[in-house]
C-alpha cells in the first residue's frame, strides 16, 4: 500500500504500464501542444507572409531553441535530483532543491537573454541565412530572445512538478500558452498584418501567460510542495547546487551541442537556397511532433527510474525500460505510416509553394532511417539520466552532435555529393550516437552500481 504521507507521486509501486501511461499521456499532450504553437507560427507565417518568412522564422527558431537548451538541461538535473529525493521521501531536501533551482535558472535566463541579443547578427551569418529572409529572421530573433525568461520560467516550474511525479499540471500550463498563441497569431499576423513580428509577439505573450499561471499554482500550494517562497528560501544551497550542477550542467552542454550541430546542418542546407531552407524548417517541425510526443514516455521512464533506482529496485527499473521501448515503438510505427503516406499533404499545411512541397519526399525518405535510433534512445536516455550518469550522457551527446551529425552531413552531402538528401540523411543517422552507447550501458548492467545522488 502506498504511503499517503509521502510528498509528490510515488512511482515505485503498482502497475508499471498504468503508471507510465498516467504520467506520459499528460506529458505527451503538453509537449504536443508546445509543438502545435510552434507549428502555428510556421503555418500562419507561411500562409500570410510567404516562403521567405517561413525560412526566416525557421532559422531564428533554431537559435532560440539553442539558448533554451541551457535551461532545459539544468532543469532536468533538478528534476532527477528531486525525483530521487521523492524516492527516498526526503522532505528536507526539497526546500533546498527548489530554491536553488529557482535562483540558478532565473540567473541563467538573464545571462543568456543578454548573450542572445548581443550575438544575434553573428548567429544569422553563421547559419548563412538567405538574404531574402535575413531581416525577418532578425526581427523574430530579437523579440523572442528578449522573452527567454518566460520560457526558462515555464521549464523550471514544470521540472519541479515532474520531478515530484506530476505531469498533469504542466499540460494545463502549456495549454494556456497554446490557446493564447494561436489566438494572437491569427490576430497579429493574419488580421493586423504585423508579419513575422506578430508571430513572435504571440509566442512571447503565450509563454508569459503559461509561466505566470504555473508560478501562481506553485505558490498557492507551497506547503504541499515543501517550498515556502520566502526570500531566504531562494538561497543557493551548496549540496543541491553541486549535485544538480554535476548532472544539469552536463545535460545543458549535451543538449546545446546537439543544437549547435543542428545549426551547422541548417547552415549547409541554407546554402542550397531559400526553398531548401524552408523545406528543412517545415520537416524539422513535423518531425519534432513525434520526437516531442515520444519524449512523454522518456519523461515517465525518467521519473520512474529515478525513484525506483533510489530505492534499489533494479528489477523494476528494467521493466520500466522494456515497457518504454514497447510504447515508443508503437508510436513511431503509426507516425511512419502517416508520414510516408501523407507527407506532401502535411508539408502543404504550411505553404502552397510547390517548390517547397516538392522537397517533402527528399526529406521524408532520409529522416525515417533515424526512427529505430529514436526508439532505442527514449528508454536508454531515461536510464542514463535517471541513474545520474552525466559522463555517459555527455560523451554520447558529443558523439551524436559533433562527430556524427556534422560529420555524416558533410560526408554524404559534400564528399559523396548526395546533395540535399545527403544532408538530411546525415542529420537523421546521428541519433545512433546516443542510442547505441546507451543500449550497451543497459545490457552491460553497469548502471546497477552507480551511487544515488543523495548519498
Amino acid at each position: 500500500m502506498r504511503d499517503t504521507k509521502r510528498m509528490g507521486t510515488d512511482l515505485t509501486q503498482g502497475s508499471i504500464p498504468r503508471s507510465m501511461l498516467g504520467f506520459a499521456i499528460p506529458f505527451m499532450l503538453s509537449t504536443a501542444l508546445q509543438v502545435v504553437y510552434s507549428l502555428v507560427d510556421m503555418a500562419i507565417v507561411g500562409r500570410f507572409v510567404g516562403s521567405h518568412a517561413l525560412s526566416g522564422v525557421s532559422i531564428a527558431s533554431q537559435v532560440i531553441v539553442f539558448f533554451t537548451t541551457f535551461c532545459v538541461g539544468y532543469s532536468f538535473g533538478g528534476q532527477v535530483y528531486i525525483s530521487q529525493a521523492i524516492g527516498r521521501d526526503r522532505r528536507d531536501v526539497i526546500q533546498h532543491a527548489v530554491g536553488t533551482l529557482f535562483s540558478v535558472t532565473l540567473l541563467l535566463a538573464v545571462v543568456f537573454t543578454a548573450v542572445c541579443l548581443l550575438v544575434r547578427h553573428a548567429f544569422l551569418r553563421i547559419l548563412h541565412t538567405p538574404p531574402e529572409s535575413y531581416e525577418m529572421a532578425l526581427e523574430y530573433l530579437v523579440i523572442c530572445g528578449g522573452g527567454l525568461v518566460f520560457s526558462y520560467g515555464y521549464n523550471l516550474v514544470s521540472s519541479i512538478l515532474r520531478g515530484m511525479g506530476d505531469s498533469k499540471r504542466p499540460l494545463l500550463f502549456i495549454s494556456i500558452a497554446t490557446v493564447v498563441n494561436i489566438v494572437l497569431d491569427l490576430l497579429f499576423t493574419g488580421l493586423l498584418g504585423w508579419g513575422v513580428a506578430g508571430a513572435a509577439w504571440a509566442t512571447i505573450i503565450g509563454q508569459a501567460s503559461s509561466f505566470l499561471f504555473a508560478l501562481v499554482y506553485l505558490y498557492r500550494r507551497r506547503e504541499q510542495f515543501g517550498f515556502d517562497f520566502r526570500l531566504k528560501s531562494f538561497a543557493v544551497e551548496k549540496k543541491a547546487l553541486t549535485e544538480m550542477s554535476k548532472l544539469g550542467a552536463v545535460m545543458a552542454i549535451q543538449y546545446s551541442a546537439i543544437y549547435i550541430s543542428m545549426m551547422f546542418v541548417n547552415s549547409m542546407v541554407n546554402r542550397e537556397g531559400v526553398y531548401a531552407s524552408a523545406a528543412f524548417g517545415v520537416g524539422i517541425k513535423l518531425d519534432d511532433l513525434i520526437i516531442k510526443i515520444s519524449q512523454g514516455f522518456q519523461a515517465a521512464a525518467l521519473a520512474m527510474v529515478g525513484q525506483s533506482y533510489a530505492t534499489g529496485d533494479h528489477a523494476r527499473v528494467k521493466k520500466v525500460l522494456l515497457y518504454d521501448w514497447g510504447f515508443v515503438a508503437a508510436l513511431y510505427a503509426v507516425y511512419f505510416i502517416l508520414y510516408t503516406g501523407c507527407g506532401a499533404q502535411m508539408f502543404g499545411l504550411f505553404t502552397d509553394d510547390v517548390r517547397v512541397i516538392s522537397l517533402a519526399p527528399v526529406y521524408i525518405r532520409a529522416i525515417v532511417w533515424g526512427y529505430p535510433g529514436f526508439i532505442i534512445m527514449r528508454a536508454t536516455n531515461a536510464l542514463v539520466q535517471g541513474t545520474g550518469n552525466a559522463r555517459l550522457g555527455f560523451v554520447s551527446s558529443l558523439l551524436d552532435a559533433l562527430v556524427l551529425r556534422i560529420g555524416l552531413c558533410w560526408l554524404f552531402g559534400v564528399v559523396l555529393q548526395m546533395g540535399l538528401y545527403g544532408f538530411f540523411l546525415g542529420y537523421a543517422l546521428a541519433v545512433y550516437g546516443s542510442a547505441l552507447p546507451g543500449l550497451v550501458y543497459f545490457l552491460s548492467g553497469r548502471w546497477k552500481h552507480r551511487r544515488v545522488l543523495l548519498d
Side-chain angles (χ1 to χ4, degrees):
M1 181 178 294
R2 296 189 181 210
D3 182 359
T4 58
K5 295 181 180 180
R6 292 172 64 95
M7 293 183 65
T9 302
D10 182 8
L11 300 173
T12 62
Q13 305 176 48
S15 167
I16 291 175
R18 187 180 298 115
S19 296
M20 184 171 286
L21 286 170
F23 188 103
I25 289 175
F27 186 98
M28 288 189 294
L29 291 173
S30 65
T31 52
L33 286 172
Q34 284 182 299
V35 176
V36 164
Y37 80 67
S38 178
L39 291 175
V40 166
D41 275 349
M42 295 280 288
I44 291 178
V45 165
R47 287 288 178 178
F48 286 98
V49 189
S51 297
H52 295 170
L54 197 60
S55 170
V57 170
S58 171
I59 293 168
S61 294
Q62 289 197 37
V63 179
I64 295 298
V65 170
F66 166 70
F67 281 106
T68 306
T69 56
F70 292 96
C71 166
V72 173
Y74 195 83
S75 295
F76 257 125
Q79 179 178 329
V80 173
Y81 189 70
I82 290 170
S83 71
Q84 291 196 3
I86 294 294
R88 287 285 182 89
D89 200 19
R90 290 287 302 277
R91 180 178 293 269
D92 57 305
V93 172
I94 302 298
Q95 174 92 354
H96 298 308
V98 173
T100 301
L101 192 59
F102 255 105
S103 298
V104 174
T105 302
L106 294 179
L107 176 61
L108 288 175
V110 173
V111 171
F112 286 113
T113 295
V115 173
C116 179
L117 296 178
L118 287 172
V119 301
R120 60 192 186 277
H121 288 288
F123 266 99
L124 295 180
R125 285 195 294 267
I126 289 171
L127 291 173
H128 293 98
T129 304
E132 310 95 315
S133 306
Y134 190 92
E135 289 302 323
M136 298 182 212
L138 180 64
E139 189 174 28
Y140 193 90
L141 180 58
V142 169
I143 296 171
C144 289
L148 277 177
V149 65
F150 301 119
S151 176
Y152 273 50
Y154 165 76
N155 281 287
L156 159 66
V157 177
S158 295
S159 292
I160 293 171
L161 293 172
R162 288 170 182 149
M164 293 182 172
D166 182 0
S167 62
K168 295 179 181 178
R169 298 308 181 280
L171 169 61
L172 172 63
F173 306 142
I174 198 62
S175 299
I176 293 169
T178 302
V179 171
V180 171
N181 185 60
I182 291 174
V183 172
L184 294 183
D185 252 328
L186 292 170
L187 175 63
F188 294 161
T189 304
L191 185 61
L192 299 179
W194 290 4
V196 167
W201 280 115
T203 297
I204 290 302
I205 295 172
Q207 290 177 344
S209 302
S210 177
F211 173 48
L212 292 175
F213 272 94
L215 197 59
V216 168
Y217 174 82
L218 203 63
Y219 179 77
R220 288 184 174 178
R221 289 159 179 78
R222 54 192 178 278
E223 292 184 6
Q224 178 184 347
F225 291 110
F227 186 71
D228 56 20
F229 277 89
R230 295 177 181 175
L231 187 60
K232 64 179 182 180
S233 299
F234 288 94
V236 175
E237 197 266 336
K238 184 177 179 180
K239 169 69 174 176
L241 176 64
T242 301
E243 295 300 339
M244 286 193 293
S245 294
K246 284 180 182 177
L247 188 59
V250 171
M251 285 185 177
I253 295 172
Q254 173 183 338
Y255 294 140
S256 62
I258 291 173
Y259 277 98
I260 287 173
S261 70
M262 287 181 65
M263 288 191 287
F264 269 98
V265 176
N266 203 352
S267 175
M268 297 179 195
V269 172
N270 290 342
R271 293 181 179 183
E272 299 292 317
V274 68
Y275 301 109
S277 173
F280 187 50
V282 172
I284 287 176
K285 291 299 181 184
L286 287 172
D287 207 48
D288 206 29
L289 186 60
I290 184 61
I291 290 174
K292 291 292 177 63
I293 290 175
S294 65
Q295 277 181 349
F297 286 110
Q298 179 177 323
L302 172 60
M304 297 175 77
V305 167
Q307 291 191 22
S308 298
Y309 190 76
T311 65
D313 192 348
H314 297 161
R316 185 175 177 85
V317 170
K318 292 176 68 174
K319 290 179 181 177
V320 166
L321 299 189
L322 294 176
Y323 275 107
D324 185 278
W325 273 317
F327 285 130
V328 174
L331 274 178
Y332 268 93
V334 172
Y335 197 75
F336 174 82
I337 294 171
L338 177 65
Y339 210 14
T340 54
C342 308
Q345 291 85 346
M346 293 167 71
F347 270 67
L349 295 173
F350 296 85
T351 178
D352 55 7
D353 194 324
V354 294
R355 290 165 293 190
V356 176
I357 297 174
S358 66
L359 295 175
V362 180
Y363 180 84
I364 295 169
R365 286 200 307 268
I367 205 66
V368 295
W369 286 104
Y371 283 7
F374 276 106
I375 294 170
I376 296 170
M377 187 185 71
R378 285 291 167 246
T380 56
N381 271 11
L383 178 67
V384 171
Q385 295 168 357
T387 57
N389 193 337
R391 181 179 299 175
L392 177 58
F394 180 69
V395 171
S396 63
S397 67
L398 293 185
L399 179 61
D400 175 328
L402 303 183
V403 177
L404 293 184
R405 196 178 305 271
I406 296 176
L408 291 178
C409 286
W410 180 77
L411 174 65
F412 294 145
V414 178
V415 177
L416 299 180
Q417 298 182 350
M418 295 171 66
L420 201 56
Y421 177 78
F423 295 136
F424 294 159
L425 183 62
Y427 172 78
L429 295 179
V431 67
Y432 292 98
S434 292
L436 296 182
L439 183 61
V440 172
Y441 179 59
F442 168 68
L443 295 175
S444 71
R446 298 190 63 175
W447 54 273
K448 299 177 183 178
H449 307 295
R450 291 197 58 79
R451 73 176 181 88
V452 176
L453 295 179
L454 302 183
D455 291 340

Coordinates of all heavy atoms in Angstrom, one line a residue, residues 170-207:
P170 N 1.7 20.6 -15.8 CA 2.4 21.2 -17.0 C 1.6 21.2 -18.2 O 1.7 22.1 -19.1 CB 3.7 20.4 -17.1 CG 3.9 19.9 -15.7 CD 2.6 19.6 -15.1
L171 N 0.7 20.2 -18.4 CA -0.2 20.1 -19.5 C -1.1 21.3 -19.5 O -1.4 22.0 -20.5 CB -1.0 18.8 -19.5 CG -2.1 18.7 -20.5 CD1 -1.7 18.9 -21.9 CD2 -2.9 17.4 -20.3
L172 N -1.7 21.6 -18.3 CA -2.6 22.7 -18.2 C -1.9 24.0 -18.6 O -2.5 24.9 -19.3 CB -3.1 22.8 -16.7 CG -3.9 24.1 -16.4 CD1 -5.2 24.1 -17.2 CD2 -4.3 24.1 -14.9
F173 N -0.7 24.2 -18.1 CA 0.0 25.5 -18.3 C 0.4 25.7 -19.8 O 0.2 26.8 -20.3 CB 1.3 25.6 -17.4 CG 1.0 25.3 -16.0 CD1 1.9 24.6 -15.2 CD2 -0.1 25.8 -15.4 CE1 1.7 24.4 -13.8 CE2 -0.4 25.6 -14.0 CZ 0.5 24.9 -13.3
I174 N 0.8 24.6 -20.4 CA 1.2 24.8 -21.8 C -0.1 24.9 -22.7 O -0.1 25.5 -23.8 CB 2.0 23.6 -22.3 CG1 2.7 23.9 -23.6 CG2 1.2 22.3 -22.5 CD1 3.7 25.1 -23.5
S175 N -1.2 24.4 -22.2 CA -2.5 24.6 -22.9 C -2.9 26.0 -23.0 O -3.3 26.6 -24.0 CB -3.6 23.8 -22.3 OG -3.3 22.4 -22.3
I176 N -2.6 26.7 -21.9 CA -2.9 28.1 -21.8 C -2.0 28.9 -22.8 O -2.5 29.7 -23.6 CB -2.6 28.7 -20.4 CG1 -3.6 28.1 -19.4 CG2 -2.7 30.2 -20.3 CD1 -3.3 28.3 -17.9
A177 N -0.7 28.5 -22.9 CA 0.2 29.2 -23.8 C -0.2 28.9 -25.2 O -0.2 29.8 -26.1 CB 1.6 28.7 -23.6
T178 N -0.7 27.7 -25.5 CA -1.1 27.4 -26.9 C -2.3 28.1 -27.4 O -2.3 28.7 -28.5 CB -1.4 25.9 -27.0 OG1 -0.2 25.1 -26.6 CG2 -1.7 25.5 -28.4
V179 N -3.3 28.2 -26.5 CA -4.5 28.9 -26.9 C -4.3 30.4 -27.1 O -4.7 31.0 -28.1 CB -5.6 28.7 -25.8 CG1 -6.8 29.7 -26.0 CG2 -6.1 27.3 -25.7
V180 N -3.5 31.0 -26.1 CA -3.2 32.4 -26.3 C -2.4 32.7 -27.5 O -2.6 33.6 -28.3 CB -2.4 32.9 -25.0 CG1 -1.8 34.3 -25.2 CG2 -3.2 32.8 -23.8
N181 N -1.4 31.8 -27.8 CA -0.5 31.9 -29.0 C -1.3 31.8 -30.3 O -1.1 32.7 -31.2 CB 0.5 30.9 -29.0 CG 1.6 31.0 -30.1 OD1 2.2 32.1 -30.2 ND2 1.6 30.1 -31.0
I182 N -2.2 30.9 -30.4 CA -3.0 30.7 -31.6 C -3.9 31.9 -31.9 O -4.0 32.4 -33.0 CB -3.8 29.4 -31.6 CG1 -2.9 28.2 -31.6 CG2 -4.8 29.3 -32.7 CD1 -3.6 26.9 -31.4
V183 N -4.6 32.3 -30.8 CA -5.5 33.5 -31.0 C -4.7 34.7 -31.4 O -5.1 35.5 -32.3 CB -6.3 33.7 -29.7 CG1 -7.0 35.0 -29.7 CG2 -7.2 32.6 -29.4
L184 N -3.6 35.0 -30.7 CA -2.8 36.2 -31.0 C -2.1 36.1 -32.4 O -1.9 37.1 -33.1 CB -1.8 36.5 -29.9 CG -2.4 36.8 -28.5 CD1 -1.3 37.1 -27.5 CD2 -3.4 38.0 -28.7
D185 N -1.7 34.9 -32.8 CA -1.1 34.7 -34.1 C -2.1 35.1 -35.2 O -1.7 35.8 -36.1 CB -0.8 33.2 -34.3 CG 0.7 33.0 -34.2 OD1 1.5 33.9 -34.7 OD2 1.2 31.9 -33.8
L186 N -3.3 34.6 -35.1 CA -4.3 35.0 -36.1 C -4.6 36.5 -36.1 O -4.9 37.1 -37.1 CB -5.6 34.1 -35.8 CG -5.5 32.6 -36.0 CD1 -6.7 31.9 -35.5 CD2 -5.3 32.4 -37.5
L187 N -4.6 37.0 -34.8 CA -4.9 38.5 -34.7 C -3.8 39.3 -35.3 O -4.0 40.2 -36.1 CB -5.2 38.8 -33.2 CG -5.4 40.3 -32.9 CD1 -6.6 40.8 -33.7 CD2 -5.5 40.5 -31.4
F188 N -2.6 39.1 -34.7 CA -1.4 39.9 -35.1 C -1.0 39.8 -36.5 O -0.7 40.7 -37.2 CB -0.3 39.7 -34.1 CG -0.5 40.1 -32.7 CD1 0.3 39.5 -31.6 CD2 -1.5 40.9 -32.3 CE1 0.0 39.9 -30.3 CE2 -1.8 41.3 -31.0 CZ -1.0 40.8 -30.0
T189 N -0.8 38.5 -36.9 CA -0.2 38.2 -38.2 C -1.3 38.2 -39.3 O -1.1 38.7 -40.4 CB 0.6 36.9 -38.2 OG1 1.6 36.9 -37.2 CG2 1.2 36.6 -39.6
G190 N -2.4 37.5 -39.0 CA -3.4 37.3 -40.0 C -4.3 38.6 -40.2 O -4.4 39.1 -41.3
L191 N -4.9 39.1 -39.1 CA -5.8 40.2 -39.2 C -5.1 41.6 -39.3 O -5.4 42.4 -40.1 CB -6.7 40.2 -38.0 CG -7.9 41.2 -38.0 CD1 -8.8 41.0 -39.2 CD2 -8.7 41.1 -36.7
L192 N -4.1 41.8 -38.4 CA -3.5 43.1 -38.3 C -2.3 43.2 -39.3 O -1.8 44.3 -39.5 CB -3.0 43.4 -36.9 CG -4.2 43.5 -35.9 CD1 -3.6 43.8 -34.5 CD2 -5.2 44.5 -36.2
G193 N -1.8 42.1 -39.8 CA -0.8 42.2 -40.8 C 0.6 42.6 -40.3 O 1.4 43.2 -41.0
W194 N 0.9 42.2 -39.0 CA 2.2 42.5 -38.4 C 3.3 41.6 -39.0 O 4.5 41.8 -38.6 CB 2.1 42.4 -36.9 CG 1.3 43.4 -36.3 CD1 0.5 44.4 -36.9 CD2 1.1 43.6 -34.8 NE1 -0.1 45.2 -35.9 CE2 0.2 44.7 -34.7 CE3 1.6 43.0 -33.7 CZ2 -0.2 45.2 -33.4 CZ3 1.2 43.4 -32.5 CH2 0.3 44.5 -32.3
G195 N 3.0 40.6 -39.7 CA 4.1 39.8 -40.3 C 4.8 38.9 -39.3 O 4.1 38.4 -38.3
V196 N 6.1 38.7 -39.4 CA 6.9 37.9 -38.6 C 6.8 38.4 -37.1 O 6.8 37.6 -36.2 CB 8.3 37.8 -39.1 CG1 9.3 37.2 -38.0 CG2 8.4 37.0 -40.3
A197 N 6.8 39.7 -36.9 CA 6.8 40.3 -35.6 C 5.5 39.9 -34.9 O 5.6 39.6 -33.6 CB 6.9 41.8 -35.7
G198 N 4.4 39.8 -35.6 CA 3.2 39.4 -34.9 C 3.3 38.0 -34.4 O 2.8 37.7 -33.2
A199 N 3.9 37.1 -35.1 CA 4.1 35.7 -34.7 C 5.0 35.6 -33.5 O 4.8 34.9 -32.5 CB 4.7 34.8 -35.8
A200 N 6.0 36.5 -33.5 CA 7.0 36.5 -32.3 C 6.3 37.0 -31.1 O 6.5 36.4 -30.0 CB 8.2 37.4 -32.7
W201 N 5.5 38.1 -31.2 CA 4.9 38.6 -30.0 C 3.8 37.7 -29.5 O 3.6 37.5 -28.3 CB 4.2 40.0 -30.3 CG 5.2 41.1 -30.3 CD1 5.6 41.9 -31.4 CD2 5.9 41.6 -29.2 NE1 6.5 42.8 -31.0 CE2 6.7 42.7 -29.7 CE3 5.9 41.3 -27.8 CZ2 7.5 43.4 -28.8 CZ3 6.8 42.0 -27.0 CH2 7.6 43.0 -27.5
A202 N 3.1 37.0 -30.4 CA 2.1 36.0 -29.9 C 2.8 34.9 -29.1 O 2.3 34.4 -28.1 CB 1.4 35.4 -31.2
T203 N 4.0 34.4 -29.6 CA 4.7 33.4 -28.9 C 5.2 33.9 -27.5 O 5.0 33.1 -26.5 CB 6.0 33.0 -29.7 OG1 5.6 32.4 -30.9 CG2 6.8 32.0 -28.9
I204 N 5.7 35.1 -27.4 CA 6.2 35.6 -26.1 C 5.0 35.8 -25.1 O 5.1 35.4 -23.9 CB 6.9 36.9 -26.3 CG1 8.2 36.7 -27.0 CG2 7.2 37.6 -25.0 CD1 9.2 35.7 -26.3
I205 N 3.9 36.3 -25.6 CA 2.8 36.6 -24.6 C 2.2 35.2 -24.2 O 1.8 35.1 -23.0 CB 1.7 37.4 -25.3 CG1 2.3 38.8 -25.6 CG2 0.5 37.5 -24.5 CD1 1.4 39.7 -26.5
G206 N 2.2 34.2 -25.1 CA 1.7 32.9 -24.7 C 2.6 32.3 -23.6 O 2.1 31.7 -22.7
Q207 N 3.9 32.4 -23.8 CA 4.8 31.8 -22.8 C 4.7 32.5 -21.5 O 4.8 31.9 -20.4 CB 6.3 31.8 -23.4 CG 6.5 30.9 -24.5 CD 7.9 31.0 -25.1 OE1 8.6 32.0 -24.9 NE2 8.3 30.0 -25.9

